[in-house]
């Protein structure tokens, strides 16, 4: 059983079916085909306004390109210190920003608070030797599995406006956050001040389907050229676009995300009931962050269960990991079976009982 991430499973049936249907016949290349045109219009409908949409093959490409359009080479992009863009993209954002830097701030559960961002920005010296801040990037869902509420997004949006920053959202788990909040895509983005979004579908049923969605028109001006230089103007664009058609049809994407979140909730509730196990912070979407005894960790791994140990950088001040404990991350996906969750919990529970009896 594998709870290492939500990209360890393949693509969902409706997404694959849409690719098969889009496969027949000849169509214009490089995004000028009817399916790409239709999907760009679908994004506008979903976000209830005009948007500029650029397809990308990976979330890293979407993030790096989005940020390159928002931050000049001499600029600073503020993010959480555990953000995917700073920790897991091999410097791609800095590379595509041509010298701009990422500034990582702390925050519980890998979430930024508006007041901390504001204080940081106010504290930056305004001198020619200081890189000026030009963008804020947050991940929705955060790297700690937490979901920014609409009021928190609005507060961050206000800080961006006050300091003249563009507001980027890394939405690798956009759908998981959306269903957790029960709001609309518009409410979770531009209505709170988000200017540019990396919209991820790959983790939630796509094969390789990411899109940069731009709400602030000036950020879209050169994005097609930037995308081409990055090798992200995909010649068979229709096969990327088709994935979004399958993804959006009949609310498949929302069903997938609801399922993943439900599986994570089940896992979370079951683990929190086990003696010696506690959650580092609440489970709000499809990721669970429990602190477990090292002996249990060893036994789970020996039983063939896959998941990652996690950094302790974003724990609440009131929490510490004991020397015999470890913080782990468990991720549920659209394809996680309830039987897998129950089996995981059974194994964990019987291990806890066995170790207590020793
Ligand atoms: C928060 C976040 N952003 C972006 C990505 C996209 O990464 P990739 O380039 O692997 O598609 C991921 C994937 O792990 C992620 O967790």
């Amino acid at each position: 059983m594998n709870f290492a991430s939500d990209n360890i499973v393949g693509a969902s049936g409706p997404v694959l079916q849409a690719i098969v249907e889009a496969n027949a016949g000849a169509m214009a290349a490089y995004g000028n085909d009817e399916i790409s045109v239709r999907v760009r219009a679908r994004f506008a409908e979903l976000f209830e306004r005009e948007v500029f949409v650029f397809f990308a093959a990976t979330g890293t490409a979407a993030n790096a390109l989005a940020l390159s359009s928002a931050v000049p080479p001499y600029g600073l992009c503020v993010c959480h210190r555990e953000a995917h863009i700073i920790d897991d993209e091999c410097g791609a954002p800095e590379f595509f920003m041509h010298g701009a830097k990422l500034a990582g701030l702390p925050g519980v559960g890998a979430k930024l608070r508006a007041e901390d961002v504001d204080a940081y920005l106010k504290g930056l010296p305004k001198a020619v030797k200081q890189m000026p801040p030009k963008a804020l990037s947050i991940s929705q869902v955060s790297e700690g599995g937490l979901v920014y509420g609409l009021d928190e997004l609005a507060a961050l949006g206000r800080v961006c406006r006050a300091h003249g920053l563009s507001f980027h959202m890394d939405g690798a788990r956009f759908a998981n956050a959306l269903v957790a909040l029960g709001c609309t895509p518009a409410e979770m983005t531009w209505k709170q001040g988000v200017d540019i979004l990396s919209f991820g579908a790959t983790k939630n049923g796509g094969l390789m389907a990411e899109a940069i969605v731009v709400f602030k028109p000036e950020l879209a001006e050169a994005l097609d050229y930037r995308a081409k230089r990055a090798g992200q103007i995909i010649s068979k664009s229709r096969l990327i676009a088709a994935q979004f058609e399958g993804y959006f049809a009949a609310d498949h994407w929302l069903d997938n995300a609801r399922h993943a979140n439900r599986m994570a909730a089940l896992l979370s509730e079951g683990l929190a009931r086990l003696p010696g196990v506690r959650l580092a912070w609440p489970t709000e979407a499809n990721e669970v962050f429990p602190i477990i005894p090292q002996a249990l960790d060893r036994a789970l791994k020996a039983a063939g269960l896959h998941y990652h140990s996690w950094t302790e950088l974003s724990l609440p001040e009131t929490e510490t990991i004991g020397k015999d404990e470890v913080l782990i991350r468990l991720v549920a996906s659209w394809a996680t079976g309830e039987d897998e969750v129950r089996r995981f919990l059974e194994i964990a529970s019987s291990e806890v009982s066995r170790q207590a009896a020793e």
Side-chain angles (χ1 to χ4, degrees), residues 225-312:
Y225 299 110
R226 291 182 189 281
K228 182 62 183 166
R229 284 164 68 97
Q232 292 297 313
I233 297 288
I234 294 154
S235 63
K236 294 190 182 178
S237 171
R238 65 169 147 158
L239 298 182
I240 303 283
Q243 295 175 59
F244 286 109
E245 282 208 312
Y247 189 66
F248 292 138
D251 286 346
H252 173 58
W253 65 308
L254 303 178
D255 291 342
N256 276 0
R258 279 192 197 101
H259 174 81
N261 289 6
R262 215 171 30 247
M263 291 305 104
L266 204 61
L267 201 50
S268 177
E269 284 153 21
L271 282 168
R273 274 199 292 270
L274 297 180
V277 174
R278 62 193 185 283
L279 298 177
W281 46 73
T283 300
E284 295 182 347
N286 64 323
E287 299 173 275
V288 188
F289 289 81
I291 298 166
I292 67 172
Q294 279 181 5
L296 176 59
D297 179 50
R298 281 193 295 274
L300 292 175
K301 285 181 174 148
L305 304 174
H306 296 278
Y307 53 84
H308 290 299
S309 306
W310 211 249
T311 159
E312 300 167 19

Side-chain angles (χ1 to χ4, degrees), residues 5-358:
S5 190
D6 34 10
N7 57 9
I8 50 110
V9 291
S12 70
V15 167
L16 289 175
Q17 188 55 35
I19 296 174
V20 170
E21 282 164 21
N23 198 49
M27 279 185 211
Y30 299 112
N32 298 314
D33 60 282
E34 68 213 49
I35 303 175
S36 299
V37 171
R38 222 162 45 217
V39 167
R40 287 196 289 265
R42 182 78 181 99
F43 269 102
E45 212 175 87
L46 266 178
F47 284 93
E48 303 171 51
R49 57 169 283 169
E50 189 189 10
V51 290
F52 303 84
V53 179
F54 303 83
F55 299 126
T58 67
T60 298
N63 283 339
L65 287 171
L67 292 176
S68 75
S69 71
V71 186
Y74 54 84
L76 200 61
C77 172
V78 179
C79 60
H80 190 275
R81 67 182 177 188
E82 271 189 55
H84 200 267
I85 57 170
I86 205 169
D87 257 2
D88 300 297
E89 299 187 352
C90 195
E94 290 100 327
F95 182 70
F96 282 93
M97 291 187 294
H98 300 293
K101 282 206 309 201
L102 297 172
L105 306 189
V108 173
K111 235 172 110 172
L112 291 174
R113 296 187 318 166
E115 55 268 42
D116 296 338
V117 177
D118 190 45
Y120 171 77
L121 293 170
K122 282 184 175 142
L124 285 175
K126 292 182 184 45
V128 74
K129 56 187 178 177
Q130 174 68 47
M131 298 175 94
K134 292 292 182 181
L136 168 71
S137 176
I138 62 158
S139 301
Q140 176 76 316
V141 175
S142 85
E143 283 73 7
L146 294 177
V147 177
Y148 287 90
L150 295 187
D151 50 344
E152 293 171 312
L153 292 172
L156 287 165
R158 282 193 295 275
V159 170
C160 287
R161 291 292 163 269
H163 294 273
L165 271 57
S166 292
F167 189 3
H168 168 249
M169 177 183 280
D170 174 353
R173 298 188 172 89
F174 189 88
N176 302 92
L178 193 72
V179 300
L181 292 178
C183 66
T184 66
E187 283 165 348
M188 201 168 84
T189 54
W190 62 272
K191 287 194 174 175
Q192 314 308 333
V194 173
D195 297 309
I196 186 162
L197 163 72
S198 302
F199 182 100
T202 307
K203 287 180 190 293
N204 190 41
L207 189 157
M208 48 189 297
E210 308 286 319
I212 304 167
V213 182
V214 188
F215 307 109
K216 191 199 247 178
E218 55 266 40
L219 298 185
E221 270 163 21
L223 245 175
D224 45 0
Y225 299 110
R226 291 182 189 281
K228 182 62 183 166
R229 284 164 68 97
Q232 292 297 313
I233 297 288
I234 294 154
S235 63
K236 294 190 182 178
S237 171
R238 65 169 147 158
L239 298 182
I240 303 283
Q243 295 175 59
F244 286 109
E245 282 208 312
Y247 189 66
F248 292 138
D251 286 346
H252 173 58
W253 65 308
L254 303 178
D255 291 342
N256 276 0
R258 279 192 197 101
H259 174 81
N261 289 6
R262 215 171 30 247
M263 291 305 104
L266 204 61
L267 201 50
S268 177
E269 284 153 21
L271 282 168
R273 274 199 292 270
L274 297 180
V277 174
R278 62 193 185 283
L279 298 177
W281 46 73
T283 300
E284 295 182 347
N286 64 323
E287 299 173 275
V288 188
F289 289 81
I291 298 166
I292 67 172
Q294 279 181 5
L296 176 59
D297 179 50
R298 281 193 295 274
L300 292 175
K301 285 181 174 148
L305 304 174
H306 296 278
Y307 53 84
H308 290 299
S309 306
W310 211 249
T311 159
E312 300 167 19
L313 265 181
S314 295
L315 284 176
E317 268 173 20
T318 49
E319 184 62 86
T320 44
I321 310 274
K323 64 176 177 29
D324 299 328
E325 294 180 320
V326 59
L327 171 62
I328 64 168
R329 182 190 78 163
L330 302 167
V331 188
S333 80
W334 63 275
T336 301
E338 192 169 329
D339 54 333
E340 292 179 275
V341 173
R342 297 209 182 280
R343 184 76 194 115
F344 184 99
L345 291 173
E346 271 165 27
I347 295 171
S349 169
S350 59
E351 261 312 314
V352 167
S353 312
R354 196 187 60 74
Q355 288 173 10
E358 266 177 4

